Amino acid sequence: MKLYLKAFVVTLLVGIGLAFLFWKWSESTLPKTAQTMLKMDEMETKGIPNFTVNDLDGKPVQLKDFGGQAVIVSFWASWCGPCL
């Protein structure tokens, strides 16, 4: 019985150590939450930053050209089967 208790304690300590190491690694390498990455609070107060894309005719269009209107932006790829 004593052997099982020692094995359990060692396993528990190793598990806690691995969890701590993974937490520290993920904190430094994995991206932060979407709210932090996109600065949602700032966008809600100041608006979405202006950007320029080309329309279907190849003419540049800026987001600010649609001021006061609802805009839906859909990103897709020509090589993506479900997107087609």
Side-chain angles (χ1 to χ4, degrees):
M1 181 77 166
K2 205 171 198 181
L3 181 62
Y4 291 119
L5 183 59
K6 286 181 183 180
F8 175 75
V9 170
V10 168
T11 304
L12 184 65
L13 291 176
V14 168
I16 291 171
L18 288 174
F20 177 76
L21 290 174
F22 177 75
W23 173 64
K24 292 307 270 184
W25 171 80
S26 65
E27 191 176 69
S28 64
T29 58
L30 298 178
K32 305 298 179 201
T33 63
Q35 184 172 1
T36 304
M37 289 173 49
L38 299 176
K39 298 182 182 176
M40 293 298 291
D41 294 334
E42 185 177 323
M43 285 188 202
E44 289 177 1
T45 56
K46 295 182 180 178
I48 297 172
N50 190 40
F51 62 89
T52 304
V53 294
N54 293 333
D55 65 7
L56 295 175
D57 297 325
K59 296 182 232 169
V61 178
Q62 293 186 353
L63 181 62
K64 68 180 181 180
D65 296 340
F66 299 97
Q69 299 177 5
V71 177
I72 297 174
V73 179
S74 177
F75 292 98
W76 59 275
S78 61
W79 48 262
C80 175
C83 296
L84 297 174

